[in-house]
Amino acid sequence: MAICAGRTVIITGAGGGLGRAYALAFAEQGANVVVNDIRREAAEEVVGEIRERGGQAIANADDITTIATAQLIVDAALTAFGEVHVVVKNAGILRDRMFISLGEDDWDAVMRVHLKGHFCLANILGKRWRDQAKAGHPVAARILNTSSGA
């Protein structure tokens, strides 16, 4: 039996690169995968790959950078699969210049995705899992963060 059978994972930035690799790996291990990427076509391509291999996945293009839109991601997962057990916070943006060359708008964009976006999903799911635990329901949930040398 696959180690993630019956579990649901949300992966942000999963339309390419490491996020795609995470999505394919979790699906291979039996997880239901929510492939989140602001590039809907990229997310749908990854979902297609997962389904071709016999896995379960949905595409989602909601924004991670507000509580309201991050909640839509969680809601989509709950509607499709009933629960969320793991979130892989992989989404990121790159402004390919040295720190001292960044303008304020670029800095704000990076902080919005890399900090606030990761906070939003962790906050929503952390509260959900805390409330479940307080209600006496066992919780075996995980939050995985990624980082980049870039």
Side-chain angles (χ1 to χ4, degrees):
M1 175 182 240
I3 63 172
C4 294
R7 296 179 58 81
T8 298
V9 58
I10 295 171
I11 305 170
T12 67
L18 286 175
R20 176 184 169 275
Y22 296 140
L24 296 174
F26 270 97
E28 185 176 307
Q29 289 302 317
N32 303 313
V33 181
V34 177
V35 178
N36 169 264
D37 200 294
I38 60 170
R39 302 166 301 144
R40 177 168 287 283
E41 288 181 10
E44 289 174 351
E45 285 181 27
V46 175
V47 167
E49 287 183 69
I50 291 169
R51 290 180 177 165
E52 285 175 9
R53 298 175 185 187
Q56 298 291 319
I58 62 169
N60 178 281
D62 289 307
D63 187 349
I64 66 169
T65 65
T66 72
I67 292 289
T69 52
Q71 183 67 56
L72 295 174
I73 301 166
V74 174
D75 292 345
L78 295 174
T79 297
F81 303 119
E83 190 51 80
V84 178
H85 306 94
V86 179
V87 60
V88 179
K89 299 182 301 172
N90 177 71
I93 62 172
L94 177 63
R95 297 299 183 249
D96 203 15
R97 26 193 178 290
M98 293 175 53
F99 169 77
I100 58 173
S101 299
L102 284 177
E104 187 173 2
D105 289 342
D106 284 336
W107 175 257
D108 288 344
V110 169
M111 292 298 105
R112 188 174 56 254
V113 173
H114 290 261
L115 294 179
K116 188 176 181 199
H118 292 192
F119 160 80
C120 290
L121 275 171
N123 181 268
I124 291 165
L125 289 169
K127 287 177 182 176
R128 177 179 179 76
W129 296 330
R130 177 196 61 198
D131 292 347
Q132 289 174 340
K134 284 184 175 184
H137 303 289
V139 176
R142 302 292 184 268
I143 296 174
L144 303 172
N145 298 301
T146 62
S147 64
S148 167

